[in-house]
Amino acid sequence: MGAQKSIHAGRAKIDVNVDFTHKLCTSLMFPAFRDTCSPLSLVIGSLCIKHPNLFGGSEKLDVSWDKGLYDSNVLVAFRRPRPEWRPQQCFFIQHSLSPEIGVHGTPIDNFSRSGSGGVNLSKLAVGLDLSEPASSKWSSTTSVKFEHVRPLNDEGRSITRDLDGFPTTCSGNTHDSMVVLKQESRFAKANDQGLSHFSMQIEQGIPVVSKWLIFNRFKFVASKGVRLGPAFLLASLTGGSIVGDMAPYQAFAIGGLGSVRGYGEGAVGSGRSCLVANTELALPLNKMTEGTIFLDCGTDLGSSRLVPGNPSLRQGKPGFGYGFGYGLRFKSPLGHLQVDYAINAFNQKTLYFGVTNLASST
């Protein structure tokens, strides 16, 4: 269940949203599947404050706060009005705290789940985004930011090494600092017959100070969707690589929802490079229900040994994995319900249950 409330104070608008999402695994699963998913309740709250005219010149100020059971995120963004033909500016300050499961998490139950590895990341970022005016079907964003990353243990104390005694930062200190220049380009095209999407991200660490990280990281996502009568086939390919200085938490994590289903987050592997392919065929069953079959596969391209401390090898991750299965999508006035049943390469069965857009106004 959820609740949302909007409050107007002068020209400022405050949006308060609280969602209660329960992952009802045990009660909804057949007895044979109960060992693959433990019951988990997530309580998510969010607070958003918006001011559309901060200094009388249409300057916009957005302040948002999101709190989960194990993570939190605070974002302050300030936007100045500019002519449409000029890049739009956004100054931001962001702080996040979340468990680092993808790299340091421990695979369990034949890699179908990932447990805590005792490493959490506290990130502080300050920067500027420049969004170029969209031309035709292309758009691009350039940003520069200073980022301060501090690994913490489960008690909230700063750490320099993980549970196995290997460094958690690139510098060897309790934190890493870096200035990152990022360029992102996106292409999107859609019509009644299908869709095409492509995005490319390139990040460059700038050596402002000698001890700060210097690296180059790129990631791409290419998707193609085709309508086949009443069915819709969607295929996507995701890849990336990083060269230069690198902390373990910067590795590409492979496995989990949005990656290779049937595996826990990062349970396939974590490396300096990655390649993930996803294919899904959706067929409407009625106006409210859609059935899907899917096939996912991913690999670290043998690059896990190049990650400092080699956490993937220490945790016995295979480096390559595939998952396949089927699912149902339900549309209701309360929200969108998703059920996916996946089998990984070790014949481990996992049932995913999700609820989105579950909110009611008060």
Side-chain angles (χ1 to χ4, degrees):
M1 58 182 296
Q4 182 173 335
K5 182 72 174 180
S6 295
I7 303 173
H8 293 270
R11 294 184 176 181
K13 180 183 179 183
I14 302 176
D15 294 329
V16 181
N17 183 60
V18 179
D19 293 329
F20 299 95
T21 303
H22 300 272
K23 190 177 181 183
L24 306 175
C25 294
T26 302
S27 61
L28 295 178
M29 292 163 57
F30 298 106
F33 304 140
R34 287 181 180 171
D35 292 336
T36 68
C37 185
S38 59
L40 174 66
S41 295
L42 298 178
V43 180
I44 301 174
S46 62
L47 173 66
C48 182
I49 302 175
K50 299 182 179 182
H51 200 299
N53 193 19
L54 187 62
F55 300 120
S58 298
E59 301 89 351
K60 297 180 180 180
L61 176 67
D62 295 338
V63 180
S64 63
W65 171 77
D66 298 289
K67 182 68 176 74
L69 191 60
Y70 302 108
D71 56 358
S72 64
N73 183 73
V74 178
L75 175 64
V76 179
F78 174 73
R79 297 174 175 84
R80 297 171 53 188
R82 307 191 79 189
E84 293 184 359
W85 51 271
R86 298 189 62 185
Q88 301 302 304
Q89 295 179 347
C90 177
F91 300 89
F92 65 88
I93 301 175
Q94 183 176 20
H95 179 267
S96 64
L97 176 63
S98 60
E100 203 300 287
I101 301 295
V103 176
H104 291 97
T106 303
I108 54 180
D109 290 341
N110 283 332
F111 302 93
S112 64
R113 292 190 292 141
S114 295
S116 172
V119 178
N120 305 272
L121 294 182
S122 173
K123 294 183 179 181
L124 174 65
V126 180
L128 169 67
D129 281 339
L130 293 175
S131 298
E132 297 289 339
S135 59
S136 183
K137 300 176 180 62
W138 285 93
S139 61
S140 65
T141 302
T142 302
S143 66
V144 59
K145 66 178 178 179
F146 166 78
E147 191 170 34
H148 178 92
V149 182
R150 187 160 58 101
L152 308 173
N153 61 15
D154 291 336
E155 286 72 43
R157 299 187 180 91
S158 296
I159 56 175
T160 59
R161 297 184 178 274
D162 60 21
L163 297 178
D164 294 328
F166 289 85
T168 56
T169 61
C170 178
S171 63
N173 299 322
T174 58
H175 65 271
D176 284 328
S177 297
M178 64 199 85
V179 172
V180 181
L181 179 64
K182 178 180 176 181
Q183 172 69 40
E184 181 176 4
S185 299
R186 297 172 297 275
F187 172 85
K189 178 183 177 181
N191 53 44
D192 294 338
Q193 301 303 315
L195 62 85
S196 299
H197 177 270
F198 178 79
S199 67
M200 170 71 80
Q201 297 178 4
I202 299 177
E203 294 179 319
Q204 177 65 56
I206 302 175
V208 177
V209 178
S210 59
K211 294 184 178 180
W212 290 5
L213 274 62
I214 309 172
F215 61 90
N216 182 273
R217 174 189 174 106
F218 82 90
K219 179 181 178 180
F220 73 87
V221 179
S223 302
K224 179 66 175 180
V226 179
R227 186 164 297 282
L228 303 173
F232 191 82
L233 177 64
L234 179 64
S236 64
L237 184 67
T238 303
S241 186
I242 180 172
V243 296
D245 296 337
M246 178 186 182
Y249 56 79
Q250 292 179 302
F252 291 95
I254 309 163
L257 286 172
S259 180
V260 182
R261 282 166 285 191
Y263 291 82
E265 182 180 353
V268 173
S270 52
R272 276 186 175 263
S273 303
C274 76
L275 196 63
V276 176
N278 309 95
T279 304
E280 183 166 301
L281 180 66
L283 181 67
L285 303 179
N286 54 50
K287 292 183 178 180
M288 306 296 291
T289 309
E290 190 176 69
T292 64
I293 57 174
F294 59 84
L295 172 64
D296 304 330
C297 61
T299 174
D300 62 16
L301 300 173
S303 64
S304 62
R305 58 185 176 82
L306 303 177
V307 177
N310 201 345
S312 186
L313 178 64
R314 286 188 279 125
Q315 295 153 4
K317 297 179 181 180
F320 172 82
Y322 63 86
F324 60 92
Y326 54 88
L328 292 173
R329 310 289 185 262
F330 304 96
K331 298 179 182 178
S332 74
L334 296 178
H336 297 272
L337 285 70
Q338 173 180 337
V339 179
D340 280 336
Y341 172 68
I343 304 174
N344 65 17
F346 299 91
N347 202 34
Q348 185 70 36
K349 305 171 181 66
T350 306
L351 185 67
Y352 301 99
F353 175 81
V355 182
T356 59
N357 297 332
L358 189 62
S360 61
S361 298
T362 59

